[in-house]
Amino acid sequence: MSTDDLETDLTRKTENSPRELLTRSFFFLCAALSVVTTISIVALLVTEAAKFFTLTAPLMGVTGETASLVDFLTGTTWQIHNQEFGVLALVSATLMITIGSAIIALPLGVATAIYLSEYASKQARSVLKPALEILAGVPTVVYGFFALIYITPAIGVVLPGIGTFNILSASIVVGIMIIPMVASISEDAMSAVPDDLRQAGYGMGATKFDVSTGIVVPAALSGIFSSFILALSRAIGETMAVTVAAGAQAKFLNPLDPSSYLEGALPMTAAMVQLLTGDITGGGLAYRSLFAIGLVLFVITLIMNIISDYVAQRYREAY
């Protein structure tokens, strides 16, 4: 018997052993459970959101009040009791918080990752990286109260006219929240860059800064960009921090107007919390709007994750 035949026979016997079959079945069930959970969530959002819209509600056996899909997607007014459901009023606040947090978190996160990967000693890295992970583990509601009690008064010293609840403080605190995600994933991507590339740069007379920014960062670009998308997806889906800090009054704001960030608004996640904790009737129009908002939020985050996967595959470097 040849060596290849012997290896094949041993592999077949190992794979067919009861222990191996049990282990394989366990891991398959774990994978299947995650898939079934995802499909169940998507099915719930789609079926319940369909009951909210005029075109699909009759197909779901729903009678009574419904909302127009066009008005929902293009409307700029969100008022529950007046039965106005323009989701753009909520999307604008979410978009503003995402933009504000990105301005804070992306450059600081990448700079932190560069320091941890290229400049920090092993001792400094052993302290700073766990500290970042602890920062990521702080409950989000604590961040919300931190924004309300400390960040907003600090902003008020510079901008006395700012309200208690505002988009700016919510953006700052969400930016602080997602820094660890950007820094950790980007640092892992930079650490995966082979040292041969660094040594080649030093051999050409490059400085530490030149190697870090001109060689390591471009080589790890796919991982860094993926960290951006994942962090911004986290910012879009953040709930408790923005519920506490951003305000509870829905209004359509211009994300390109800097003065709009000084006003309070109602992001999508905070609107969902408001609907769940309010006095709305289960099964009514306002209750069904909760699932319509959730579906919009799901589609936005799904698109961002698809973009992240595409960029990671398109620009991934194999070493």
Side-chain angles (χ1 to χ4, degrees), residues 168-236:
L168 181 58
S169 63
S171 301
I172 292 173
V173 78
V174 172
I176 295 172
M177 286 177 55
I178 64 177
I179 285 176
M181 181 177 292
V182 176
S184 180
I185 299 176
S186 298
E187 193 269 336
D188 290 340
M190 294 178 191
S191 297
V193 175
D195 285 336
D196 291 346
L197 295 180
R198 296 179 176 87
Q199 298 304 323
Y202 293 136
M204 296 294 292
T207 64
K208 186 76 169 180
F209 178 80
D210 293 332
V211 170
S212 300
T213 58
I215 297 177
V216 176
V217 170
L221 192 60
S222 63
I224 294 173
F225 191 82
S226 296
S227 75
F228 291 172
I229 299 296
L230 293 175
L232 294 181
S233 297
R234 167 72 188 278
I236 290 174

Side-chain angles (χ1 to χ4, degrees), residues 3 62 64 87 95 161 167 184 188 190 194 271 274 284 299:
T3 303
V62 176
V87 77
L95 180 61
I167 295 294
S184 180
D188 290 340
M190 294 178 191
Q274 189 181 82
V299 170

Side-chain angles (χ1 to χ4, degrees), residues 18-314:
R19 183 177 179 180
E20 185 68 22
L21 291 174
L22 181 62
T23 304
R24 185 189 305 175
S25 299
F26 172 75
F27 289 129
F28 173 78
L29 288 175
C30 292
L33 180 62
S34 62
V35 174
V36 170
T37 302
T38 303
I39 294 174
S40 300
I41 292 173
V42 175
L44 174 67
L45 288 175
V46 172
T47 54
E48 293 297 327
K51 299 176 183 179
F52 177 72
F53 298 112
T54 302
L55 294 176
T56 54
L59 301 177
M60 307 299 296
V62 176
T63 59
E65 295 179 320
T66 55
S68 168
L69 177 61
V70 175
D71 292 340
F72 176 76
L73 295 177
T74 61
T76 58
T77 303
W78 183 272
Q79 293 181 350
I80 298 299
H81 297 294
N82 291 339
Q83 304 292 290
E84 294 186 73
F85 299 97
V87 77
L88 288 183
L90 310 179
V91 173
S92 65
T94 300
L95 180 61
M96 292 172 67
I97 292 175
T98 304
I99 293 173
S101 62
I103 292 173
I104 295 170
L106 302 191
L108 290 179
V110 172
T112 302
I114 293 174
Y115 174 76
L116 290 175
S117 175
E118 305 302 314
Y119 288 90
S121 63
K122 291 184 177 179
Q123 183 177 3
R125 189 182 297 112
S126 65
V127 174
L128 292 176
K129 196 157 187 182
L132 279 174
E133 294 172 355
I134 292 174
L135 185 64
V138 175
T140 58
V141 67
V142 175
Y143 280 105
F145 284 114
F146 177 77
L148 193 63
I149 296 173
Y150 293 103
I151 295 179
T152 299
I155 297 174
V157 174
V158 181
L159 303 170
I162 195 170
T164 304
F165 303 100
N166 57 86
I167 295 294
L168 181 58
S169 63
S171 301
I172 292 173
V173 78
V174 172
I176 295 172
M177 286 177 55
I178 64 177
I179 285 176
M181 181 177 292
V182 176
S184 180
I185 299 176
S186 298
E187 193 269 336
D188 290 340
M190 294 178 191
S191 297
V193 175
D195 285 336
D196 291 346
L197 295 180
R198 296 179 176 87
Q199 298 304 323
Y202 293 136
M204 296 294 292
T207 64
K208 186 76 169 180
F209 178 80
D210 293 332
V211 170
S212 300
T213 58
I215 297 177
V216 176
V217 170
L221 192 60
S222 63
I224 294 173
F225 191 82
S226 296
S227 75
F228 291 172
I229 299 296
L230 293 175
L232 294 181
S233 297
R234 167 72 188 278
I236 290 174
E238 175 50 41
T239 304
M240 292 310 301
V242 299
T243 300
V244 175
Q249 182 178 359
K251 62 177 71 173
F252 179 76
L253 300 174
N254 182 8
L256 301 180
D257 182 8
S259 63
S260 298
Y261 289 81
L262 305 181
E263 302 182 37
L266 186 66
M268 286 188 286
T269 51
M272 296 174 71
V273 172
Q274 189 181 82
L275 287 167
L276 283 171
T277 57
D279 57 352
I280 61 174
T281 303
L285 185 61
Y287 174 79
R288 295 195 297 271
S289 69
L290 173 69
F291 296 95
I293 299 172
L295 184 60
V296 172
L297 192 61
F298 171 79
V299 170
I300 293 174
T301 54
L302 177 63
I303 291 173
M304 294 188 68
N305 280 275
I306 291 174
I307 294 173
S308 175
D309 290 340
Y310 170 78
V311 172
Q313 294 294 331
R314 176 65 177 81

